[in-house]
Amino acid sequence: MTGSEENFGARLRASFDGNVSALASATGLSDGAVHGYLKRNSIPRGDAAVAIADHLGVSLRWLLTGEEDEPNQMGLSEPQAPFMGPELAEVPRYDVQAAAGNGTIATTEEPGTTAFFPRKWLRDLGLDPDHSGILDCNGDSMEPTISDGAPMVVNFAIKSVVQGGIYVISLDGAVIVKRVERLLTGDYQFISDNPKYPPQTITQADIDRVHIVGMVRVALQAV
């Protein structure tokens, strides 16, 4: 942890009135998470950091690092995308929902918004920002591992199945999220973590119906 990171809690304390519950409610975080930022100097990740900075009206770069945004020639601080700092990377968020259930979801492939994550955190997860994206989970079949509505950070570079991994899959044009196993027969088995949903088997004869979009590396959800 760098010196600037060690002072994160102090900068956060200086930026709001001390009402932890109000800050947590306004940013979609738990009270415990906010207390952790204040007391243990833990650093919020991605969307959480952006939400806190936006709600408090402070620079994300300053909140995370203690560094001020560069002033322009008029002496005013220009709004800058957080990824311009070396510590953050931009990851696109796609207007796609991956169905965790029996439904099918129409998709588009153009990024909608973006989110910003610490580069080290992405590296630790084996993620390259240029080959990653955020998709939302839709449905409850992957609960409790992935909640309905949770944004998922997906590694688009992974197109082959690792046993037991969770994948975003295009099946007959529908985008779904399932745990995937490759059977000895060469068939795919799609497994839901929610026991009320039975496994689904795709045989070799139907393998052309399946396209691996990428592997889910983390789901961003409240605890």
Side-chain angles (χ1 to χ4, degrees):
M1 182 179 292
T2 66
S4 61
E5 289 173 333
E6 288 172 357
N7 293 322
F8 175 83
R11 289 191 296 277
L12 180 58
R13 280 191 295 275
S15 302
F16 80 116
D17 61 6
N19 189 331
V20 169
S21 294
L23 178 60
S25 177
T27 54
L29 299 167
S30 67
D31 287 10
V34 176
H35 277 299
Y37 305 149
L38 292 168
K39 294 181 179 180
R40 297 190 298 275
N41 279 311
S42 58
I43 307 297
R45 295 172 175 172
D47 287 352
V50 174
I52 292 171
D54 285 348
H55 175 68
L56 297 178
V58 299
S59 159
L60 177 61
R61 181 176 181 177
W62 173 81
L63 187 63
L64 290 175
T65 69
E67 298 176 2
E68 297 288 349
D69 290 337
E70 294 293 330
N72 60 20
Q73 291 182 348
M74 299 294 292
L76 301 176
S77 181
E78 291 197 15
Q80 297 188 26
F83 67 89
M84 291 183 72
E87 67 282 343
L88 293 177
E90 179 184 23
V91 176
R93 186 168 188 170
Y94 290 86
D95 187 17
V96 174
Q97 291 181 312
N102 294 326
T104 59
I105 301 296
T107 70
T108 62
E109 296 183 0
E110 291 298 320
T113 58
T114 55
F116 304 93
F117 298 92
R119 291 183 184 275
K120 181 180 184 304
W121 182 72
L122 292 172
R123 286 196 302 270
D124 289 346
L125 288 170
L127 290 166
D128 178 347
D130 293 333
H131 300 285
S132 303
I134 301 170
L135 288 74
D136 291 341
C137 178
N138 182 66
D140 66 351
S141 76
M142 290 306 294
E143 291 184 349
T145 308
I146 305 176
S147 300
D148 182 17
M152 304 173 296
V153 183
V154 180
N155 187 343
F156 295 142
I158 297 180
K159 302 296 185 183
S160 59
V161 172
V162 178
Q163 290 296 89
I166 298 175
Y167 290 84
V168 175
I169 308 142
S170 176
L171 177 64
D172 294 333
V175 178
I176 63 175
V177 55
K178 298 291 179 186
R179 200 174 293 278
V180 180
E181 290 189 359
R182 192 75 181 265
L183 305 179
L184 292 176
T185 58
D187 300 343
Y188 282 124
Q189 189 169 60
F190 298 160
I191 301 169
S192 300
D193 284 5
N194 188 334
K196 77 178 185 181
Y197 292 90
Q200 178 183 5
T201 300
I202 302 295
T203 66
Q204 278 191 305
D206 292 325
I207 213 76
D208 289 342
R209 297 168 54 199
V210 177
H211 171 68
I212 303 295
V213 176
M215 185 178 188
V216 178
R217 296 298 293 122
V218 67
L220 306 172
Q221 51 198 32
V223 296

